[in-house]
Amino acid sequence: MLFYLLGFFGFVFAVNGVMIRAATSTFAGLETGSSYKAGLQFKQEMQSAERQATLHWTVDGRLTRNGDGQAVLDVNVRDDKGLAVAGVTGAARLAHPATAQLDHDVALNPAGAGALRGATRAQPGQWELIIDPIAAGERVFRSRSRVTLK
């Protein structure tokens, strides 16, 4: 009876050790590198959001696959009257919902008035698409949306 009891608890501890190792090796649990620095940037982000609200822009991003298997992002930036915003560049990121290790930065190049285009290699699945239009060297807008890439 003693050996059965010791064997049972030994098995439970071994399985728990394997599960703990698997959990900590796949997700570090960090959302941000420094909570202090993130807190300091909060006021700046709030001011950016207020400036963005006054613009009344719409930023539409469409994510598709091309023949080479790349994820192609087409972005259109329109003002409050529906006209294309000229002189805008930008950056985008496909953020994986589970781990930042799988994130993809997408360089956006001008593709016409108010239009931007970029491509990256990303696997199929759920992503958070973050688009940052830039005017005069400063981020003037941030668009965040959940997308499914096939």
Side-chain angles (χ1 to χ4, degrees):
M1 187 65 178
L2 176 64
F3 291 119
Y4 286 122
L5 189 62
L6 292 175
F8 171 76
F9 283 109
F11 178 75
V12 169
F13 288 134
V15 169
N16 282 341
V18 168
M19 298 301 275
I20 289 169
R21 172 74 176 128
T24 58
S25 66
T26 58
F27 181 62
L30 293 176
E31 184 68 27
T32 182
S34 170
S35 298
Y36 176 72
K37 289 180 182 176
L40 292 176
Q41 292 176 348
F42 179 74
K43 186 174 182 179
Q44 181 181 2
E45 287 297 321
M46 288 298 295
Q47 291 170 344
S48 295
E50 289 169 359
R51 281 194 313 266
Q52 175 176 324
T54 62
L55 292 175
H56 302 289
W57 284 6
T58 57
V59 177
D60 295 318
R62 193 180 74 190
L63 198 59
T64 57
R65 289 254 186 228
N66 66 8
D68 296 334
Q70 286 187 318
V72 177
L73 176 60
D74 289 306
V75 177
N76 288 309
V77 182
R78 306 272 180 215
D79 64 11
D80 58 343
K81 296 177 181 99
L83 302 173
V85 177
V88 175
T89 61
R93 186 170 73 238
L94 282 175
H96 195 273
T99 179
Q101 295 171 341
L102 298 176
D103 289 0
H104 293 272
D105 289 325
V106 182
L108 296 176
N109 301 310
L116 304 167
R117 177 174 256 211
T120 188
R121 295 223 177 261
Q123 66 253 26
Q126 292 276 329
W127 295 91
E128 183 175 9
L129 176 60
I130 303 166
I131 304 169
D132 293 327
I134 298 169
E138 182 180 338
R139 185 188 94 199
V140 292
F141 201 89
R142 174 162 276 181
S143 171
R144 296 177 83 107
S145 56
R146 183 62 64 108
V147 296
T148 301
L149 182 60
K150 296 182 182 190

